[in-house]
Amino acid sequence: MNWDDLKYVLAVAREGTLAAAARSLQVDPTTVGRRVLALESQLATRLFDRLTDGYRPTAAGEIAVAQAEQMEEMALSVEGRIQGHDTRVEGPVRLTALDAMIDALIVPNLPRLLAKHPGLELTLASGFDVLRLSRRDADIALRVMQPTEPDAVGIRIGPTAMALYRAAESDFGPAPPVVGLPREREALGFMQLLSRHLPESRVALRGNTEGHLIAAVRAGLGVGFIDCVVADADPGLRRWHPDIVERSTLWAVTHIDIHRAPRVRAVIDFLAELHREKADLFDGRCPFLSG
């Protein structure tokens, strides 16, 4: 078996359907199906059970998937080491963070970064999911926790704070409705903090991005737990109460193979500079206080 064959098996195992695997590989679904069938024929064994809701690896398929993951990790490691020795500040950098921070803070300041380094090609990705750096889901991930993965390097950006917010014109009682995350994410500390500070409140609306949560709070649908650097700069929002609810440290996390690459360091330096400039906002020291 070679990597060119196994990447199709790996994509089908991860995505669950030929159509989704084809999208991830940027090929036609028939190509994916044909390559999987050809490998099954070559090995004289079935690698997937074809179920009504998608493809599931057989026992033999699980072995093939494990082998594919090892080969993928090796290929990415070689690529990362080569890129890490590139001295040019140019090329692709994939940055992931919460969407509200990307939209309100990072994007408005990107012109100066790209003016300084016009050869950079940035891809911005958002969401609450922790992406796997080893699979190059991201080159840099902004996280509020120090990395524990053995192949990850964390560069400390600085302190950050979160608080409870409402719409500037809203007038709730002592148990305001809450804007929260989807039910499948209730185990996250985010939802536990909401429950601790607003134990009598009910969840009125749920959103799967911080941008959705902020839009819902701004519309007066409830109280939400939001980053101070975003919410305190928004005239449509006010603190539910003045206290900071959570303080943590913001880290720029990258893979060990590329953490010294100039293109990666240029973006991390840009993020650190932004934090220094907006230190009061990050630390929750300049809110729009309501009367």
Side-chain angles (χ1 to χ4, degrees):
M1 291 187 290
N2 60 54
W3 169 239
D4 197 47
D5 292 327
L6 285 174
K7 70 180 181 182
Y8 291 92
V9 172
L10 186 57
V12 173
R14 285 175 175 166
E15 304 296 338
T17 67
L18 295 182
R23 285 193 297 271
S24 72
L25 295 170
Q26 298 183 332
V27 297
D28 189 87
T30 57
T31 299
V32 179
R34 186 172 64 251
R35 295 297 291 266
V36 171
L37 282 172
L39 186 56
E40 287 180 325
S41 177
Q42 176 188 334
L43 298 172
T45 189
R46 193 175 72 255
L47 299 176
F48 292 96
D49 288 324
R50 280 71 166 170
L51 307 176
T52 56
D53 61 342
Y55 280 50
R56 297 292 180 273
T58 62
E62 293 287 359
I63 295 172
V65 169
Q67 182 67 32
E69 288 177 334
Q70 291 179 14
M71 295 178 73
E72 178 192 52
E73 185 174 345
M74 183 179 301
L76 290 172
S77 179
V78 170
E79 177 185 341
R81 288 177 185 277
I82 292 172
Q83 292 176 347
H85 283 82
D86 193 340
T87 60
R88 297 168 297 177
V89 183
E90 61 181 48
V93 178
R94 184 177 176 86
L95 170 65
T96 181
L98 293 183
D99 60 330
M101 190 172 294
I102 288 176
D103 294 341
L105 184 67
I106 295 174
V107 169
N109 289 282
L110 278 182
R112 72 188 195 200
L113 172 66
L114 297 181
K116 184 177 181 181
H117 303 297
L120 285 175
E121 177 193 317
L122 283 174
T123 297
L124 303 176
S126 61
F128 285 102
D129 293 327
V130 177
L131 302 183
R132 288 178 56 182
L133 298 171
S134 62
R135 282 173 41 186
R136 298 301 190 272
D137 291 333
D139 295 309
I140 304 168
L142 274 182
R143 296 179 181 173
V144 291
M145 60 185 74
Q146 190 169 4
T148 58
E149 302 96 322
D151 55 357
V153 174
I155 293 89
R156 186 180 185 276
I157 299 298
T160 188
M162 300 184 81
L164 290 167
Y165 293 86
R166 60 175 177 84
E169 305 302 323
S170 63
D171 184 17
F172 298 121
V178 166
V179 176
L181 296 177
R183 289 185 179 275
E184 61 268 22
R185 298 186 179 276
E186 295 229 334
L188 292 180
F190 179 100
M191 294 301 291
Q192 294 170 1
L193 282 167
L194 277 176
S195 298
R196 187 186 312 153
H197 287 273
L198 298 168
E200 304 300 321
S201 295
R202 64 178 183 84
V203 177
L205 183 139
R206 299 175 185 272
N208 68 346
T209 73
E210 191 178 31
H212 294 337
L213 303 186
I214 292 172
V217 171
R218 194 185 294 116
L221 296 175
V223 171
F225 187 43
I226 306 172
D227 288 300
C228 295
V229 67
V230 175
D232 283 343
D234 189 330
L237 300 176
R238 294 291 186 274
R239 298 265 181 99
W240 171 246
H241 58 71
D243 297 338
I244 297 298
V245 174
E246 178 79 353
R247 292 189 185 277
S248 52
T249 299
L250 192 64
W251 296 85
V253 183
T254 187
H255 195 274
I256 192 170
D257 289 341
I258 61 170
H259 76 286
R260 290 194 176 94
R263 61 190 173 85
V264 172
R265 294 300 310 198
V267 177
I268 293 174
D269 290 345
F270 160 74
L271 296 172
E273 182 181 352
L274 270 185
H275 187 280
R276 288 192 295 272
E277 293 174 357
K278 308 287 186 181
D280 286 346
L281 275 174
F282 271 102
D283 208 33
R285 294 195 294 266
C286 48
F288 285 102
L289 292 174
S290 60

